[in-house]
Amino acid sequence: MEKRERRDYHRKTVDELTFTDDGMFQAVLHEPGICAELVERLLHIKVNHIEYPELEKTIAPFYSSKGVRLDVYLKDTDKVIDVELQSYPLDEPGKRTRYYNSMVDIDCLMKGHDYSELKDCYILFICKKDPFKDENDMGYGLPCYTFMNMCKENSLINLNDKTVKVFYNASMYEKEKNESVRAFLHFVHTNDSGKDEFTNRLSEIVEKLKNNERFRSQYLAMNLHDRDLIRWAKKEGASQKAIEDAENLLRLNVLSYEQISQSIGLPLEKVQEIAEKITEKSYLHIS
């Protein structure tokens, strides 16, 4: 599974959650109409039909391959769209999107399609901080970075591989010229929905979910799951990284417990304990 930034294990309470928090972002985008409107606003494309979004979709096509978990994975009739929200500094944005793109393509081709049938692919990152920095570790300060494969010798020649990578930098929302995009980036950066109709709807969904007993139960279960692992780590002296590695490998479901135990140096019974907790968590779904 792709490497995620190390999270602080001190989770927020449900009432403290905002749109950009893990769990809440996926829950808000659980509604296809919200997903479609967000995509149309940020990518400036028309979504004519959308399959129900797969939240935190895992793609692990081969036994020996490194899998990837996508925050929100959408499919239109002629395009696939991966939407990621990044609250922490983004490491290796270029290589990460390169790998995401390849996994999305393989996921499509595994269904028996020829490469000529590949759909347009959009990788969209919504970042709270500037994802690109210069040699002095200073952000370039653009509100949006869009990448397409162009010819170095003649920029008018496009490779036409039908792939687009877009990174939004919410911290530079004031520089964004598009009013609707600026309103959304402002919301991401400040958690203030302002006067924009769409961001107000997002904010209302957040508040509604906070009062949803099923969501609260699921989030509590996520909290207890993490706390159990922390207590176990402290008791047994296992490192947080070892726990993360075990969870990631278990979620990929391509290695046996014995292989995971050997690869990261955890006792077999501890790997089994983590697997049981993950299984319990998998039964909880956001309505």
Side-chain angles (χ1 to χ4, degrees), residues 239-250:
S239 68
Q240 290 184 351
K241 185 177 187 308
I243 295 173
E244 291 175 357
D245 290 344
E247 283 193 292
N248 289 342
L249 290 171
L250 287 165

Side-chain angles (χ1 to χ4, degrees), residues 173-199:
Y173 69 89
E174 292 179 327
K175 292 185 177 181
E176 173 57 48
K177 296 180 179 179
N178 183 289
E179 183 177 354
S180 62
V181 173
R182 184 171 63 250
F184 175 75
L185 296 181
H186 175 266
F187 176 54
V188 170
H189 184 66
T190 66
N191 196 40
D192 177 8
S193 58
K195 298 180 180 180
D196 182 74
E197 186 271 337
F198 180 63
T199 56

Side-chain angles (χ1 to χ4, degrees), residues 273-284:
E273 287 180 17
I274 297 173
E276 290 173 1
K277 293 181 184 300
I278 291 175
T279 300
E280 293 172 2
K281 182 180 175 183
S282 69
Y283 286 108
L284 296 169

Side-chain angles (χ1 to χ4, degrees), residues 106-149:
I106 290 174
D107 186 51
C108 293
L109 288 181
M110 286 182 70
K111 295 175 173 60
H113 296 158
D114 182 75
Y115 73 88
S116 62
E117 300 177 78
L118 285 172
K119 296 182 179 182
D120 294 5
C121 179
Y122 294 84
I123 307 295
L124 170 61
F125 267 88
I126 303 166
C127 304
K128 296 189 73 172
K129 301 178 184 296
D130 200 323
F132 297 99
K133 297 182 178 180
D134 60 21
E135 62 277 7
N136 297 316
D137 203 33
M138 298 294 293
Y140 284 98
L142 295 179
C144 181
Y145 303 85
T146 302
F147 297 90
M148 301 174 68
N149 289 326

Side-chain angles (χ1 to χ4, degrees), residues 30 214-215 218 281-287:
H30 191 258
R214 192 165 185 176
F215 174 78
Q218 186 204 36
K281 182 180 175 183
S282 69
Y283 286 108
L284 296 169
H285 299 282
I286 299 171
S287 62

Side-chain angles (χ1 to χ4, degrees), residues 12 16-22 25 84-90 125-132 142-143 167-173 184-192:
K12 294 180 178 180
E16 293 174 318
L17 293 177
T18 67
F19 172 71
T20 60
D21 286 311
D22 283 342
F25 173 69
E84 303 285 330
L85 192 142
Q86 193 74 26
S87 295
Y88 294 79
L90 182 63
F125 267 88
I126 303 166
C127 304
K128 296 189 73 172
K129 301 178 184 296
D130 200 323
F132 297 99
L142 295 179
F167 299 80
Y168 276 101
N169 172 18
S171 67
M172 290 289 110
Y173 69 89
F184 175 75
L185 296 181
H186 175 266
F187 176 54
V188 170
H189 184 66
T190 66
N191 196 40
D192 177 8

Side-chain angles (χ1 to χ4, degrees), residues 21-253:
D21 286 311
D22 283 342
M24 181 60 77
F25 173 69
Q26 292 87 347
V28 173
L29 295 192
H30 191 258
E31 182 183 335
I34 292 294
C35 284
E37 189 166 350
L38 179 67
V39 166
E40 290 184 344
R41 176 176 291 221
L42 297 184
L43 294 180
H44 312 294
I45 58 176
K46 185 65 178 176
V47 177
N48 50 56
H49 168 76
I50 188 170
E51 292 183 15
Y52 202 82
E54 298 180 62
L55 305 183
E56 292 196 336
K57 175 182 175 64
T58 298
I59 301 175
F62 303 113
Y63 178 86
S64 61
S65 70
K66 173 182 170 67
V68 59
R69 186 175 65 193
L70 308 177
D71 280 352
V72 181
Y73 186 58
L74 316 175
K75 292 184 180 180
D76 196 2
T77 52
D78 60 350
K79 61 182 74 72
V80 290
I81 306 157
D82 169 36
V83 184
E84 303 285 330
L85 192 142
Q86 193 74 26
S87 295
Y88 294 79
L90 182 63
D91 294 331
E92 299 285 358
K95 291 182 179 179
R96 180 174 296 198
T97 53
R98 170 183 169 183
Y99 190 74
Y100 280 24
N101 204 151
S102 68
M103 289 292 100
V104 170
D105 286 346
I106 290 174
D107 186 51
C108 293
L109 288 181
M110 286 182 70
K111 295 175 173 60
H113 296 158
D114 182 75
Y115 73 88
S116 62
E117 300 177 78
L118 285 172
K119 296 182 179 182
D120 294 5
C121 179
Y122 294 84
I123 307 295
L124 170 61
F125 267 88
I126 303 166
C127 304
K128 296 189 73 172
K129 301 178 184 296
D130 200 323
F132 297 99
K133 297 182 178 180
D134 60 21
E135 62 277 7
N136 297 316
D137 203 33
M138 298 294 293
Y140 284 98
L142 295 179
C144 181
Y145 303 85
T146 302
F147 297 90
M148 301 174 68
N149 289 326
M150 304 288 186
C151 176
K152 180 178 179 180
E153 289 74 16
N154 186 339
S155 60
L156 296 178
I157 303 174
N158 191 311
L159 188 60
N160 200 30
D161 61 352
K162 305 297 184 181
T163 64
V164 182
K165 290 89 172 176
V166 179
F167 299 80
Y168 276 101
N169 172 18
S171 67
M172 290 289 110
Y173 69 89
E174 292 179 327
K175 292 185 177 181
E176 173 57 48
K177 296 180 179 179
N178 183 289
E179 183 177 354
S180 62
V181 173
R182 184 171 63 250
F184 175 75
L185 296 181
H186 175 266
F187 176 54
V188 170
H189 184 66
T190 66
N191 196 40
D192 177 8
S193 58
K195 298 180 180 180
D196 182 74
E197 186 271 337
F198 180 63
T199 56
N200 271 279
R201 271 194 289 136
L202 294 178
S203 183
E204 289 171 3
I205 295 174
V206 169
E207 295 306 314
K208 182 178 179 180
L209 283 167
K210 289 181 181 180
N211 294 316
N212 183 291
E213 288 304 319
R214 192 165 185 176
F215 174 78
R216 295 180 72 91
S217 296
Q218 186 204 36
Y219 188 76
L220 177 60
M222 292 170 63
N223 262 326
L224 292 174
H225 170 262
D226 287 348
R227 289 171 184 169
D228 285 345
L229 290 179
I230 295 169
R231 283 194 291 268
W232 171 77
K234 290 180 178 179
K235 181 179 179 181
E236 302 295 332
S239 68
Q240 290 184 351
K241 185 177 187 308
I243 295 173
E244 291 175 357
D245 290 344
E247 283 193 292
N248 289 342
L249 290 171
L250 287 165
R251 291 182 192 281
L252 285 178
N253 197 30

